Amino acid sequence: MAEKKKTGGAKLREKLFMQSKNGCIEAGEKTLAEADLFCEDYKKFLDGAKTEREAVRTAVDLAEKAGFKLYDPHKAYQPGDKVYVNNRDKAAIFAVIGKQPVEEGVRIAAAHIDSPRLDLKPNPLYEESELALFKTHYYGGIKKYQWTAIPLALHGVMVKKDGKRIQVSIGEKEEEPCFVVTDLLPHLAAEQSKRTLNNGIKGEELNILVGSRPFKDDEGGELVKLHILQILNEKYGVKEEDFLSAELTCVPAFKARDLGFDRSMIAAYGHDDRVCAYPALRAALDVKAPERTAVTILADKEEIGSEGNTGLQSRFFVYFINDLARSQGGEGYRALSHSQCLSADVNAAFDPTFPDVMEKRNAAQLNHGVCITKYTGSRGKSGTSDASAEYMAQIRALLDKNDVIWQTGELGKVDAGGGGTVAMYIANLNVDVVDLGVPVLSMHAPFEVVSKLDVLMAYKAMMAFYEA
Ligand code: MN
Ligand code: MN
């Protein structure tokens, strides 16, 4: 049969309309296989990095194996040198020194390594009705009802008065016990069911069950609590007051898993934002002697507003750029003014079960590639940096030139809500910034979903950015 001749309209449509194809069709078998392989390593990273401290430790380990050295501000570095800064074990910077002077500008990819979770209160342990429980204060934006009746693992550190630091991780291994927030049985939930979804479980109801067997002694009260403290004392050498100087947190005990018959997706805790942090780190490890110094930031505290000395509102990143510029006889502020940044954070993927909150023409879709978000914010672009047309043009051209499959997306309908990223804090330093990241389903839930192809495209985008 002869090929059907294209009409004038069809030709013009091809020329003028924006194309939006499923990336899996565009990519081809080889790229899909590459995505699957890349994501095997990503899943391992996820399982080993459920808190910002674990993410820093894992990232520093990988970086040191790749030849990165702890940054020394008194040293002058040569192109191709690899250095890292560890900020209090909770945030880190990885830099590969470029051929151009730092004052000419650096290339920054900034992702965050904290995720929503249940933090223990400073005085968490109590006994009620012969059960031992932990009081929690949730961290970041969560839908509280999602955190009940799922297996939780306890992670973090306790620091004793003498400064001795005790690493805690219980509940990840099959043979270890786990923990849980109990929920009311449906038979007796008539009143609870009348609450709004937001109040279905209240903050003070996120109590974690940690024990039930009393200490073998009938003297005195709180024997279950006493028994738990005895176990903790034997295992870690701590007593109740040591909880006061601890950062303990409960996270889902699930491992990252392939999702779907076709294994095209990954379900896991903490994709936001390790799904951008890992590609950014890998780009830092893989880039060789770039023109401009390549700087990967893994930041803490994004989920609570980038506050604190390990968040990106802190000066730690600026200090590093100052040191780096001055070691070459330049000025940090000039370096920043000439710098460009990909704020590597996730965006919401279109969910066919909840189409009403999305404006379909401007929503990101799973498998359509890495997502560029020109602006985030809420209520009329409040709380965003809004990338310039010039910078968007540069990034578009870069991604197309390097065969990166990409799309754009807004965070939902104009009046549906909104959110922010670290973009505006870096933009405030006079850096060109745009958000770029992986679309996520069930964002901030204990089990989030991403597409493997989109993860690979995030990595390819960051590599192209560093190598440009
Ligand atoms: Mn995020
Ligand atoms: Mn988030």
Side-chain angles (χ1 to χ4, degrees):
M1 210 169 102
E3 210 176 300
K4 210 172 147 194
K5 223 180 154 202
K6 276 186 185 151
T7 62
K11 276 190 205 153
L12 199 59
R13 180 177 290 114
E14 205 166 90
K15 188 175 161 197
L16 297 182
F17 275 15
M18 198 156 67
Q19 311 289 337
S20 176
K21 255 203 278 182
N22 187 306
C24 296
I25 294 166
E26 217 175 308
E29 288 306 315
K30 200 174 146 231
T31 304
L32 289 175
E34 194 186 344
D36 293 349
L37 195 66
F38 186 86
C39 286
E40 287 306 305
D41 289 333
Y42 171 49
K43 283 186 285 179
K44 276 183 216 139
F45 179 81
L46 276 172
D47 291 341
K50 287 198 170 179
T51 64
E52 60 277 2
R53 284 178 188 266
E54 291 172 1
V56 166
R57 207 184 316 138
T58 309
V60 166
D61 280 351
L62 289 170
E64 284 183 342
K65 274 185 202 130
F68 281 73
K69 299 264 184 324
L70 190 63
Y71 177 65
D72 176 358
H74 303 293
K75 218 177 131 179
Y77 288 94
Q78 301 304 315
D81 282 352
K82 301 164 172 189
V83 295
Y84 73 88
V85 173
N86 177 347
N87 183 4
R88 297 171 169 82
D89 295 330
K90 295 202 271 188
I93 301 171
F94 301 87
V96 182
I97 308 300
K99 293 174 194 150
Q100 303 288 329
V102 166
E103 207 182 64
E104 301 291 313
V106 302
R107 293 280 161 101
I108 307 153
H112 68 92
I113 46 176
D114 60 317
S115 297
R117 63 195 187 216
L118 303 180
D119 284 348
L120 298 201
K121 289 191 183 190
N123 182 20
L125 182 62
Y126 68 104
E127 177 173 340
E128 191 75 58
S129 307
E130 297 170 66
L131 295 174
L133 299 113
F134 279 152
K135 291 300 294 180
T136 68
H137 195 139
Y138 62 90
Y139 173 96
I142 63 165
K143 291 164 94 176
K144 297 186 276 285
Y145 72 88
Q146 293 179 335
W147 293 74
T148 66
I150 58 167
L152 298 171
L154 182 68
H155 291 244
V157 295
M158 297 181 87
V159 183
K160 306 231 293 180
K161 273 199 285 191
D162 63 4
K164 190 173 172 237
R165 192 154 67 163
I166 298 141
Q167 304 282 351
V168 177
S169 171
I170 311 173
E172 292 296 340
K173 296 192 186 114
E174 216 43 58
E175 67 272 19
E176 287 174 347
C178 65
F179 309 96
V180 75
V181 175
T182 57
D183 197 359
L184 200 51
L185 60 168
H187 317 65
L188 298 178
E191 280 306 310
Q192 185 196 30
S193 303
K194 289 180 197 156
R195 297 182 187 174
T196 59
L197 191 61
N198 188 33
N199 279 311
I201 291 288
K202 297 173 185 171
E204 294 296 349
E205 292 169 344
L206 289 169
N207 303 320
I208 298 172
L209 185 58
V210 299
S212 70
R213 200 172 279 182
F215 181 69
K216 284 190 187 79
D217 189 334
D218 53 11
E219 297 277 306
E222 299 187 294
L223 292 175
V224 179
K225 174 177 165 178
L226 182 63
H227 189 204
I228 298 303
L229 281 171
Q230 184 197 21
I231 292 167
L232 292 175
N233 186 260
E234 279 168 7
K235 193 169 163 72
Y236 300 115
V238 293
K239 42 190 187 174
E240 188 175 18
E241 64 176 33
D242 292 321
F243 278 113
L244 294 173
S245 49
E247 285 173 30
L248 292 169
T249 186
C250 272
V251 298
F254 323 134
K255 296 237 178 307
R257 297 184 66 171
D258 285 350
L259 182 76
F261 289 115
D262 55 7
R263 296 180 169 255
S264 59
M265 300 164 277
I266 305 169
Y269 165 68
H271 280 313
D272 178 9
D273 185 32
R274 286 161 205 138
V275 75
C276 300
Y278 182 71
L281 174 68
R282 273 286 294 269
L285 304 189
D286 293 348
V287 70
K288 305 261 174 333
E291 273 304 308
R292 313 246 176 188
T293 297
V295 180
T296 298
I297 310 173
L298 303 186
D300 181 27
K301 297 282 183 283
E302 194 278 340
E303 295 295 357
I304 57 166
S306 297
E307 310 280 355
N309 53 18
T310 52
L312 263 179
Q313 291 205 64
S314 133
R315 305 278 299 165
F316 78 93
F317 163 64
V318 177
Y319 292 162
F320 171 67
I321 294 296
N322 285 348
D323 281 338
L324 208 56
R326 276 177 203 159
S327 72
Q328 299 178 347
E331 288 289 349
Y333 72 89
R334 285 200 200 107
L336 287 167
S337 302
H338 297 140
S339 290
Q340 296 187 326
C341 172
L342 296 177
S343 163
D345 207 344
V346 300
N347 200 335
F350 185 85
D351 187 336
T353 306
F354 303 102
D356 296 349
V357 297
M358 292 298 203
E359 191 269 284
K360 231 179 161 174
R361 286 168 195 83
N362 286 282
Q365 267 200 283
L366 237 55
N367 284 320
H368 281 233
V370 66
C371 176
I372 305 219
T373 306
K374 189 172 182 293
Y375 49 83
T376 57
S378 53
R379 299 176 316 281
K381 298 194 181 180
S382 188
T384 182
S385 46
D386 201 349
S388 71
E390 289 83 354
Y391 190 46
M392 286 292 287
Q394 184 198 319
I395 297 299
R396 262 177 73 194
L398 175 81
L399 298 182
D400 283 346
K401 190 178 149 206
N402 289 280
D403 297 322
V404 178
I405 299 170
W406 64 279
Q407 59 183 326
T408 63
E410 271 199 2
L411 187 56
K413 277 184 179 165
V414 174
D415 287 331
T421 65
V422 301
M424 61 176 170
Y425 305 117
I426 297 174
N428 288 348
L429 304 171
N430 200 26
V431 175
D432 278 319
V433 188
V434 69
D435 278 297
L436 174 143
V438 175
V440 178
L441 288 171
S442 303
M443 194 197 293
H444 284 206
F447 215 41
E448 302 173 310
V449 174
V450 299
S451 127
K452 290 181 178 176
L453 181 68
D454 298 340
V455 180
L456 177 70
M457 290 303 148
Y459 166 74
K460 283 193 179 293
M462 289 183 238
M463 272 307 271
F465 181 65
Y466 282 162
E467 284 179 337

